[in-house]
Amino acid sequence: MRSALILLSLILFTINDAARSERPDQVEYPTYYANVNGLTIAYQEFGDPEHETIMLVMGLGGQLIHWDDDLVWQLTDAGFHVIRFDNRDAGWSSKLYHESTPGILTGLRYKLGMSLGSPYKLDDMADDALGLLAHLNVKTAHVVGMSMGGMIAQIMAAKDPDKIQSLTSIMSSSSAEHLPAGTVDLNLSDRSDQTREQAILASATIGQQIDGTVAELNESQWIALTARSYDRSHYPEGFGRQFWAILDSGDRVELLKSIKQPALVIHGKADNLLPYQHGEHTAELISDSRLLLIEGMGHYIDRLNKPLIVKEIIKIASK
């Protein structure tokens, strides 16, 4: 049954070929649901499930649709089975409505080096992803994580080295204290009373800040991109709890030293959310790793650099 459903997805690729060349951001592919760790995780999969698997892990507040469709197609064209999913508290996965969100005291406790009491941590999110692989009977996988997703992917590789064959950490971090802070204002104030237009414009403004020197998208394009995200699932409380989880999970310095699988660390030299030194430090800590710094790239996989990134993901997953 699962193979038949994935075949349907591939047929939809063909049917939508002309449409996606004009409006690729409007295609919604079949989404399935898995019961993992007491939660419902929404996911999509593409390609032959008998082939080697690449799991894509999204970052803070992101949804599975933020893994560019064309990036997914290029990976399946290279012969891989690809899984992308919504993290807990995002997209169509379970929302933890009963849990609180961080407040002013959270920031004060963080500055004082105190435990923050977050409802869950990055380890729990890594368990969600590993649980999804188990649900799908995937014995081994290559994991690719972006930003917070890179942090989750790092934990997955360290926690289950028999399951994770390789790690690609993109625009992510070791979260070590000495690393430089970014200059992007994520606007973490209460956004629950924003109108749809206000929320979309606020997200688009952040998007323009993180686009790097490439500056691929103009304001109207960022608005269109963030409008789709809003309409699919707008849940700022989940963003807050995920950010809380990052703060409360500490650094991964010792964890990264324990990773022995082949690893690729990709970072943009123009990243002003997590400056490129975060990528350098991550690569320094992983013994069998390679660092790829990309001039002009910000905290966003732009079209100019996407072919190189896809090529490098395929290369490390093909070792």
Side-chain angles (χ1 to χ4, degrees), residues 116-173:
L116 304 185
S118 57
Y120 55 83
K121 297 187 180 180
L122 294 179
D123 274 74
D124 299 303
M125 301 180 79
D127 286 341
D128 293 345
L130 290 168
L132 178 57
L133 290 175
H135 171 85
L136 295 172
N137 295 314
V138 174
K139 291 184 170 49
T140 60
H142 306 275
V143 64
V144 179
M146 184 191 305
S147 195
M148 179 190 74
M151 302 173 191
I152 294 169
Q154 294 163 14
I155 295 170
M156 292 171 67
K159 263 193 168 187
D160 201 340
D162 293 329
K163 172 81 74 175
I164 304 304
Q165 293 175 279
S166 72
L167 163 68
T168 300
S169 180
I170 305 174
M171 59 189 75
S172 193
S173 178

Side-chain angles (χ1 to χ4, degrees), residues 24-73:
D25 57 330
Q26 297 301 308
V27 179
E28 188 71 62
Y29 292 98
T31 301
Y32 317 113
Y33 299 89
N35 293 320
V36 176
N37 295 334
L39 303 173
T40 299
I41 299 297
Y43 69 94
Q44 296 176 351
E45 55 179 334
F46 309 93
D48 189 338
E50 298 302 317
H51 291 177
E52 286 197 42
T53 296
I54 293 177
M55 171 174 265
L56 304 174
V57 189
M58 184 37 64
L60 175 62
Q63 302 178 46
L64 61 81
I65 57 172
H66 294 128
W67 284 108
D68 179 73
D69 288 348
D70 185 57
L71 181 147
V72 173
W73 301 325

Side-chain angles (χ1 to χ4, degrees), residues 48-264:
D48 189 338
E50 298 302 317
H51 291 177
E52 286 197 42
T53 296
I54 293 177
M55 171 174 265
L56 304 174
V57 189
M58 184 37 64
L60 175 62
Q63 302 178 46
L64 61 81
I65 57 172
H66 294 128
W67 284 108
D68 179 73
D69 288 348
D70 185 57
L71 181 147
V72 173
W73 301 325
Q74 289 184 50
L75 294 177
T76 58
D77 286 346
F80 290 96
H81 166 232
V82 179
I83 300 168
R84 61 182 181 181
F85 67 100
D86 289 324
N87 286 309
R88 60 168 71 191
D89 259 341
W92 292 352
S93 289
S94 288
K95 311 293 197 305
L96 280 72
Y97 298 108
H98 60 287
E99 298 288 0
S100 60
T101 54
I104 295 175
L105 286 178
T106 306
L108 292 175
R109 292 175 67 89
Y110 178 72
K111 289 181 179 179
L112 294 172
M114 301 170 65
S115 174
L116 304 185
S118 57
Y120 55 83
K121 297 187 180 180
L122 294 179
D123 274 74
D124 299 303
M125 301 180 79
D127 286 341
D128 293 345
L130 290 168
L132 178 57
L133 290 175
H135 171 85
L136 295 172
N137 295 314
V138 174
K139 291 184 170 49
T140 60
H142 306 275
V143 64
V144 179
M146 184 191 305
S147 195
M148 179 190 74
M151 302 173 191
I152 294 169
Q154 294 163 14
I155 295 170
M156 292 171 67
K159 263 193 168 187
D160 201 340
D162 293 329
K163 172 81 74 175
I164 304 304
Q165 293 175 279
S166 72
L167 163 68
T168 300
S169 180
I170 305 174
M171 59 189 75
S172 193
S173 178
S174 65
S175 297
E177 287 187 12
H178 74 274
L179 293 170
T183 58
V184 178
D185 180 9
L186 289 178
N187 187 18
L188 297 174
S189 59
D190 183 9
R191 295 178 288 170
S192 58
D193 61 347
Q194 285 183 326
T195 65
R196 176 180 182 275
E197 290 71 24
Q198 288 172 333
I200 289 170
L201 182 59
S203 295
T205 299
I206 294 173
Q208 286 185 287
Q209 290 182 61
I210 66 174
D211 206 355
T213 58
V214 175
E216 178 181 77
L217 303 180
N218 59 33
E219 183 181 36
S220 63
Q221 290 171 316
W222 272 111
I223 287 174
L225 187 65
T226 56
R228 185 192 178 197
S229 303
Y230 183 101
D231 292 337
R232 186 175 185 268
S233 178
H234 176 62
Y235 190 56
E237 295 84 355
F239 178 98
R241 281 192 290 269
Q242 288 184 356
F243 187 70
W244 196 358
I246 294 172
L247 295 180
D248 206 16
S249 294
D251 69 58
R252 287 168 303 286
V253 172
E254 294 305 316
L255 178 140
L256 290 168
K257 292 178 183 177
S258 74
I259 294 175
K260 303 304 178 187
Q261 301 96 312
L264 171 65

